[in-house]
Amino acid sequence: MNPFFRFINSSVGKKIIMSFTGLFLSIFLVEHLAGNLLLLKGDNGEAFNAYAMFMGGNPVVRIMEIGLLSLILVHIVNGIRLWWNNRSAREKGYGSYKLQENTTLQSRMMKLSAALVLFFLIVHMRTFWVHARIFGEHDIASIVYAKFQQGIYVIFYLIALVVVGYHLRHGFQSAFQTLGLRTKKYYSIIEFVSVLFWLAVPAGFAFIVVYLYFTGSSPVVSVQ
Ligand code: HEM
């Protein structure tokens, strides 16, 4: 078999792919948070809309966006393949497979959180991305302001952000483990970086959601 296919089909290859795609997706979240902070500028979303227009119109950014969506897809498909492999390996190894005995609570929680993050992403893309990229809406900030005037969205986002934080926390732990970086030497720097990603980034998004709910200063448009 071609070495590339041998690598992506091996268990260690799948784990490495999971780690790298997860780390790149986490970096996207930092950029996304920085862009979203423009919503707080108090200029009725002008700066945010200018940023969103730039992101939507620049061909280099559009190519990066295709890269981002492909990374999300690879992360999901590879995660399902890894889960399937582990499951088959356990079935072969133990004869009778008992879920409770053979999977740790943490790995089950990772699968559950992954499914919930995916559900959140589908709702999120339908709520904002479809308006920005498919319907070509120019005033995307007003849509964001209108959505976060609704308590149900605020609660949904806050719960989703806790789940995102959980998924990132354990994702970071296993990524660094897989890449052999969870050693004494790097322990404190890795702990610091992962706290930034799993705690500070979701907390930043949560702050935006709560801030917009309580200030709600911008014109409210009707959104389906
Ligand atoms: C305060 C919370 C958030 C707000 C207000 C927000 C807002 C938006 C908006 C307006 C868009 C579409 C326009 C654009 O691409 O700029 C978007 C796209 C997107 N958001 Fe969010 N977002 C939030 C949190 C999140 C979180 C927590 C995640 C992931 C866990 C996420 C993942 C994405 C992705 C993957 C896209 C598509 C990006 C692309 O294709 O360029 N967002 N978001």
Side-chain angles (χ1 to χ4, degrees):
M1 197 196 284
N2 173 316
F4 173 73
F5 286 109
R6 210 168 40 229
F7 173 75
I8 62 169
N9 283 323
S10 69
S11 168
V12 76
K14 288 191 197 95
K15 283 188 177 174
I16 291 175
I17 293 171
M18 228 37 206
S19 307
F20 277 114
T21 51
L23 291 173
F24 279 114
L25 292 173
S26 307
I27 292 169
F28 155 76
L29 279 186
V30 177
E31 180 277 323
H32 195 42
L33 174 62
N36 285 344
L37 285 173
L38 294 172
L39 288 161
L40 309 184
K41 221 180 153 199
D43 59 356
N44 273 349
E46 254 179 55
F48 181 81
N49 282 337
Y51 157 78
M53 289 292 286
F54 169 77
M55 298 300 268
N58 186 301
V60 178
V61 180
R62 290 312 291 263
I63 293 170
M64 285 168 75
E65 192 173 88
I66 295 170
L68 171 72
L69 297 177
S70 316
L71 272 186
I72 296 177
L73 204 65
V74 171
H75 193 76
I76 296 170
V77 171
N78 193 65
I80 294 172
R81 293 179 72 217
L82 199 57
W83 163 74
W84 190 253
N85 263 32
N86 292 343
R87 196 188 145 101
S88 323
R90 269 195 304 270
E91 273 173 354
K92 274 185 205 144
Y94 292 98
S96 73
Y97 170 74
K98 286 203 186 104
L99 185 83
Q100 295 293 332
E101 284 171 19
N102 297 328
T103 54
T104 63
L105 178 66
Q106 183 168 315
S107 85
R108 271 182 278 149
M109 288 298 285
M110 268 315 260
K111 278 170 244 154
L112 178 66
S113 61
L116 293 174
V117 171
L118 180 60
F119 175 70
F120 161 74
L121 269 183
I122 293 168
V123 175
H124 183 60
M125 301 288 270
R126 170 67 188 90
T127 312
F128 299 128
W129 185 84
V130 166
H131 284 275
R133 299 287 190 269
I134 311 285
F135 300 159
E137 173 63 62
H138 292 322
D139 189 6
I140 201 77
S142 292
I143 297 175
V144 178
Y145 292 139
K147 283 295 174 191
F148 293 132
Q149 283 309 292
Q150 300 174 36
I152 187 81
Y153 266 93
V154 173
I155 292 168
F156 173 68
Y157 267 73
L158 293 180
I159 294 174
L161 286 165
V162 171
V163 178
V164 168
Y166 178 90
H167 193 75
L168 288 180
R169 182 174 184 196
H170 294 286
F172 263 85
Q173 275 175 5
S174 30
F176 287 129
Q177 180 92 40
T178 300
L179 301 175
L181 293 170
R182 274 189 100 196
T183 59
K184 254 191 184 162
K185 192 174 165 196
Y186 299 116
Y187 189 79
S188 40
I189 175 83
I190 277 177
E191 276 299 295
F192 177 72
V193 172
S194 57
V195 167
L196 277 187
F197 279 95
W198 75 259
L199 187 62
V201 171
F205 281 115
F207 176 77
I208 296 175
V209 171
V210 173
Y211 182 92
L212 293 182
Y213 180 68
F214 284 111
T215 56
S217 51
S218 289
V220 172
V221 292
S222 78
V223 186
Q224 303 162 351

